[in-house]
Amino acid sequence: MPSLIQTSTEVAEALATNQAVVALESTIITHGMPYPQNLETALRVEETVREQGAVPATIAMVDGIGRAGLVRAELETLAKLGPQVTKCSRRDIPYLISQKKHGATTVAATMILAAKAGISIFATGGIGGVHPGVADTWDISADLQELAQTNVAVVCAGAKSILDLPKTLEYLETVGVPVIGYQTEEFPAFFTRRSGLKVEINLNSPSDIARLLRAKWDFGLQGGVLVANPIPLASEPDYAHLEKAIKTAQAQAQEQRIQGKALTPFLLDRIEKETQGESLKANIQLVLNNARLAAKIARAYAQL
Ligand code: PSU
Ligand code: MN
């Protein structure tokens, strides 16, 4: 068996010299956006992290090896293969290792590999959560259980209203995950800054967030932290239009009995097509915004 995780030379050096490193996921590349926007965005996100003085580490399974820090050709391969690449959450890791396959890591799997590589801060778009109709379907993303147990901070723009947001927040409360509103008192709902749901921890600076992370992990509390960073005002799309697309996508999923790991990618794809790229534009902007904040938090964290 090869070593558990292969870290690129650049990422390994940055970690060894206590420089800021930001983990990035790969399901967003393969299942979250179409080609070529997925590749362009992956590259821009890495560039944004660098502009803020941190080192990006895009995470994926490549030929069955967990990797932190991909080269451009590898990003290109994943972006072009898109949904043909296995969507890899916690439970898929052993299969992909033993079969030497590629895997696009979800928030959950990215957290696992980031923690193994020694990376504490991770930027993404939106997390998975509790789906509406959970009482019948039992569909709760493995991302939530991962946040409960793995020591990585996840910077996101909240979660899409494809999820039951109140139940998602209840779940996070039950499993003891601090949810931080960055410069907001409301939990943002991905495409919109508002959800009507309060977050109890409001922090206004990256260094305040870094100190909370230190406090949690120094105290020996296992698990992650969710940093909710609202989409920039200027990038907020017309929400009524999007909400309609989300409802349509959910109805189609029900009609076609889409379930399990296929559901979230199905909804994302349908919303993208229904809004003719309007959602994609906003999605790209909020991911860049999250990468910027994550890099600032990683720098503040490295200085503590
Ligand atoms: N939500 C989004 N965009 C995404 C995802 C979720 O708005 O790209 C991806 C992330 O990788 C997340 C995963 O971890 O989907 C959750 O999938 P599931 O609901 O099957 O756990
Ligand atoms: Mn699910």
Side-chain angles (χ1 to χ4, degrees):
M1 274 279 161
S3 67
L4 283 177
I5 176 145
Q6 266 180 29
T7 307
S8 71
T9 313
E10 186 194 19
V11 171
E13 273 174 19
L15 290 168
T17 54
N18 193 35
Q19 288 173 63
V21 177
V22 173
L24 302 164
E25 66 151 302
S26 43
T27 295
I28 192 172
I29 302 174
T30 54
H31 294 70
M33 291 181 190
Y35 181 82
Q37 287 94 339
N38 58 354
L39 176 62
E40 284 160 25
T41 305
L43 294 170
R44 275 179 76 190
V45 169
E46 290 200 346
E47 197 47 47
T48 301
V49 169
R50 287 185 201 285
E51 279 163 16
Q52 296 298 325
V55 172
T58 300
I59 288 183
M61 303 284 304
V62 180
D63 294 323
I65 297 173
R67 297 275 306 278
L70 301 183
V71 297
R72 194 199 151 105
E74 292 167 329
L75 283 174
E76 223 168 281
T77 301
L78 292 177
K80 281 188 179 150
L81 286 172
Q84 283 171 256
V85 180
T86 304
K87 176 179 158 190
C88 170
S89 192
R90 168 179 276 268
R91 74 168 182 178
D92 307 294
I93 294 173
Y95 170 74
L96 297 175
I97 293 175
S98 57
Q99 293 295 320
K100 298 187 169 54
K101 288 188 182 214
H102 294 341
T105 49
T106 62
V107 168
T110 303
M111 288 178 75
I112 294 170
L113 297 187
K116 284 199 191 299
I119 304 168
S120 305
I121 320 291
F122 162 25
T124 185
I127 59 160
V130 181
H131 284 265
V134 62
D136 294 322
T137 63
W138 289 37
D139 192 346
I140 301 174
S141 173
D143 292 352
L144 300 184
Q145 191 51 44
E146 207 58 51
L147 279 160
Q149 60 180 319
T150 299
N151 298 9
V152 170
V154 180
V155 180
C156 68
K160 285 197 178 83
S161 62
I162 58 172
L163 300 174
D164 185 324
L165 295 183
K167 288 193 179 70
T168 299
L169 289 177
E170 289 290 353
Y171 191 104
L172 290 169
E173 181 183 343
T174 299
V175 296
V177 177
V179 178
I180 301 172
Y182 176 67
Q183 298 182 346
T184 181
E185 293 181 357
E186 236 179 271
F187 188 69
F190 201 85
F191 293 123
T192 162
R193 299 170 61 85
R194 315 291 302 267
S195 68
L197 299 163
K198 286 263 171 267
V199 274
E200 281 174 28
I201 308 172
N202 316 123
L203 295 176
N204 296 323
S205 74
S207 61
D208 280 340
I209 296 172
R211 281 201 301 277
L212 183 146
L213 300 179
R214 259 270 83 85
K216 172 162 182 166
W217 296 325
D218 279 357
F219 201 73
L221 296 173
Q222 294 298 312
V225 169
L226 191 65
V227 179
N229 184 30
I231 184 172
L233 252 178
S235 307
E236 252 187 328
D238 169 22
Y239 194 60
H241 187 204
L242 271 173
E243 194 61 35
K244 210 177 126 225
I246 289 172
K247 290 271 169 333
T248 308
Q250 282 170 324
Q252 288 171 344
Q254 231 177 8
E255 225 171 88
Q256 298 177 38
R257 299 182 198 284
I258 310 288
Q259 55 193 8
K261 69 195 283 186
L263 178 60
T264 297
F266 176 89
L267 294 171
L268 299 178
D269 179 62
R270 291 310 315 153
I271 294 165
E272 211 263 312
K273 296 211 165 82
E274 287 284 332
T275 63
Q276 278 137 10
E278 194 187 349
S279 69
L280 180 59
K281 233 172 81 190
N283 202 342
I284 292 169
Q285 289 310 313
L286 66 83
V287 173
L288 293 172
N289 190 48
N290 295 341
R292 222 169 285 128
L293 177 59
K296 288 179 185 162
I297 296 169
R299 287 191 59 181
Y301 187 73
Q303 279 159 21
L304 290 180

